[in-house]
Amino acid sequence: MDYNQFFAERVDDLKREGRYRTFATLERIVGRFPVTMYHAPDGTKREVTIWCSNDYLGMGQNPVVLAAMKEAIDRSGAGAGGTRNISGTTSYHIALEDSLADLHQKEAALVFSSGYVANEGTLSTLVKLLPGCIVFSDALNHASMIHGMRSGGAEKRVFRHNDVEHLEQLLKAVDPAAPKIIAFESVYSMEGDIAPIAEIVALAEQYGAMTYLDEVHAVGMYGARGGGVAEERGLMHRIDMIEGTFGKAYGLMGGYIAGKRETVDAIRCYASGFIFTTSLPPALLAGARASVEYLKVSDIERQRQRRNVRRLKERLEQADMPYMQGESHIVPLVVGEAVCCKHVTDLLMDCYDIYVQPINYPTVPRGTERLRLTATAAHSLEQVDHMADILYQLWHENHVFQYAVM
């Protein structure tokens, strides 16, 4: 068998379907975000404006965060030196985990190398430890959560997205004595909508289920101290396990869980993704803690970001463009066909110096391909209006979005 030819043909399949992913090489410029330097394939460079970043609040550029990271490097050097168990646990880990437990008003927290690893490692471990566990999973849960359920060998029931009536039907149909976990997200990043957390928690309490809430797109963003949608709605104390990340609103990388001390300790002791991974370096941990602590008291960034999101949605609404009208800060603009979606993003980059990554299958279902627009706290109102003007032109005047659907 010609293995190389086989794999080349699989890549060609993606290219024919318009789903081949190309990476834009970007060089972030301190103090200029969302403007960045684009390194084009022909070797030239030019400034472009990012409209798809997860650095929602611009914390990756925050002077407090940068100062904390520099200080940690000067004090402790580059790497952690090992896994958490073998010489890799530092005072920076402990300080950050204490800060996260305080953020979510939980007894304990545990830091992972990424949000993906936190979800996979925690969910797989919970399922393995609970005999006969049944997981009830929202249909649009992230791939990392699905990976965790599968790795743990869970018996799984999938409920329709944000459909609490369907969830209750599934809960009623299983053995009342069986251990149960309801796994769901607060903000769904490809839809822009928010889960009915209070209703789901009430069902969990009624049917004796543990709740596992992924708040990765909400921590730092919602609640008086950035604790997420659960904090904003006064529900944190009713959630058993909260999972979050530093890779989005906090502007860095890494993931974590927060919950009851004994449960978190069990994950620490049993989760392979935690045990056998080199721990995060001091600089990242110090920066993450600085970002978390900063957003516990500063609301300026959240208010500015909400202002920009409101303006963008208002402009798209006025232009009668098919965006998904969720409650959150994420604004998905539906194109509906993969080749067209890629064509639109290429035009934005090549003609307008605007970078948006096309979102195609399998990230979203076929026929719902979209631009996932994120107006950050660092965007100006002028940049928001400029983006809206260009989208209007492409939509209504140049008729570029020929396949758009709702």
Side-chain angles (χ1 to χ4, degrees):
M1 182 177 185
D2 187 337
Y3 295 102
N4 194 58
Q5 180 61 30
F6 174 84
F7 294 122
E9 289 171 358
R10 300 293 72 76
V11 172
D12 287 340
D13 290 343
L14 296 177
K15 291 179 179 178
R16 282 191 295 272
E17 295 173 15
R19 297 194 293 118
Y20 181 71
R21 299 170 190 247
T22 57
F23 296 159
T25 302
L26 305 171
E27 180 184 347
R28 301 188 82 183
I29 308 167
V30 173
R32 298 288 309 283
F33 181 76
V35 175
T36 188
M37 188 65 70
Y38 169 56
H39 294 242
D42 63 4
T44 60
K45 300 179 184 179
R46 69 180 193 274
E47 291 185 354
V48 301
T49 302
I50 301 177
W51 270 93
C52 56
S53 177
N54 287 335
D55 190 356
Y56 299 130
L57 301 179
M59 292 300 293
Q61 308 282 305
N62 188 288
V64 173
V65 174
L66 300 185
M69 298 182 76
K70 292 174 184 176
E71 181 183 354
I73 287 178
D74 290 340
R75 176 179 295 177
S76 298
T83 64
R84 287 291 297 271
N85 186 50
I86 305 177
S87 81
T89 294
T90 68
S91 59
Y92 295 99
H93 288 90
I94 305 308
L96 177 55
E97 287 168 349
D98 288 345
S99 175
L100 294 167
D102 170 73
L103 174 68
H104 294 293
Q105 296 297 288
K106 298 297 183 186
E107 294 176 357
L110 191 66
V111 170
F112 289 75
S113 57
S114 74
Y116 191 106
V117 175
N119 267 336
E120 192 281 329
T122 303
L123 280 169
S124 64
T125 302
L126 290 173
V127 168
K128 288 175 183 177
L129 292 178
L130 290 169
C133 181
I134 304 170
V135 180
F136 297 81
S137 173
D138 187 284
L140 295 187
N141 275 342
H142 191 264
S144 58
M145 301 174 76
I146 297 169
H147 186 182
M149 297 170 206
R150 288 176 177 167
S151 296
E155 184 179 342
K156 186 171 67 172
R157 304 285 189 273
V158 179
F159 61 94
R160 290 185 292 270
H161 178 52
N162 284 346
D163 188 335
V164 291
E165 291 183 3
H166 188 217
L167 172 59
E168 184 167 21
Q169 291 173 11
L170 296 176
L171 287 165
K172 284 180 176 179
V174 302
D175 181 358
K180 295 174 281 290
I181 299 173
I182 302 175
F184 62 110
E185 302 178 37
S186 57
V187 176
Y188 286 85
S189 65
M190 293 301 154
E191 312 297 310
D193 58 357
I194 296 177
I197 300 176
E199 291 87 342
I200 292 174
V201 168
L203 287 178
E205 293 168 347
Q206 180 180 350
Y207 290 94
M210 179 180 180
T211 45
Y212 183 96
L213 177 61
D214 177 319
E215 288 254 43
V216 295
H217 288 276
V219 290
M221 299 288 295
Y222 299 86
R225 301 199 308 157
V229 179
E231 181 193 21
E232 182 180 67
R233 300 184 178 181
L235 297 167
M236 280 198 304
H237 64 291
R238 297 172 65 188
I239 303 292
D240 293 300
M241 183 72 74
I242 292 175
E243 185 264 351
T245 185
F246 311 119
K248 299 182 181 10
Y250 290 123
L252 291 107
M253 70 168 291
Y256 67 89
I257 57 169
K260 291 282 190 182
R261 190 176 309 280
E262 294 79 7
T263 307
V264 172
D265 198 30
I267 302 303
R268 183 187 67 85
C269 293
Y270 285 93
S272 295
F274 173 81
I275 295 169
F276 298 106
T277 299
T278 299
S279 66
L280 290 175
L284 272 174
L285 297 163
R289 183 177 181 274
S291 189
V292 170
E293 289 296 313
Y294 178 91
L295 289 174
K296 285 180 181 179
V297 296
S298 177
D299 200 43
I300 296 171
E301 292 77 12
R302 286 188 282 269
Q303 292 302 323
R304 188 181 297 130
Q305 200 259 356
R306 288 169 187 169
R307 176 203 68 182
N308 290 342
V309 171
R310 283 195 301 270
R311 180 69 152 257
L312 179 61
K313 288 182 176 182
E314 287 168 1
R315 290 296 308 275
L316 295 179
E317 185 76 23
Q318 292 165 5
D320 194 28
M321 297 191 71
Y323 78 95
M324 302 174 74
Q325 300 181 19
E327 302 172 70
S328 81
H329 57 284
I330 297 168
V331 185
L333 180 61
V334 177
V335 178
E337 200 277 335
V339 174
C340 182
C341 194
K342 180 67 165 58
H343 177 54
V344 171
T345 58
D346 286 346
L347 276 176
L348 288 170
M349 181 68 107
D350 296 341
C351 300
Y352 301 99
D353 293 332
I354 289 174
Y355 171 56
V356 181
Q357 187 69 13
I359 305 297
N360 294 328
Y361 177 85
T363 306
V364 296
R366 297 180 193 273
T368 70
E369 290 81 1
R370 65 199 65 171
L371 311 184
R372 178 185 173 275
L373 304 177
T374 54
T376 73
H379 284 86
S380 66
L381 287 177
E382 290 75 19
Q383 287 170 325
V384 174
D385 286 337
H386 179 60
M387 180 61 164
D389 290 341
I390 290 169
L391 291 172
Y392 180 90
Q393 179 182 341
L394 292 176
W395 178 270
H396 288 289
E397 297 176 12
N398 296 351
H399 305 291
V400 170
F401 295 83
Q402 295 178 19
Y403 300 93
V405 297
M406 284 299 291

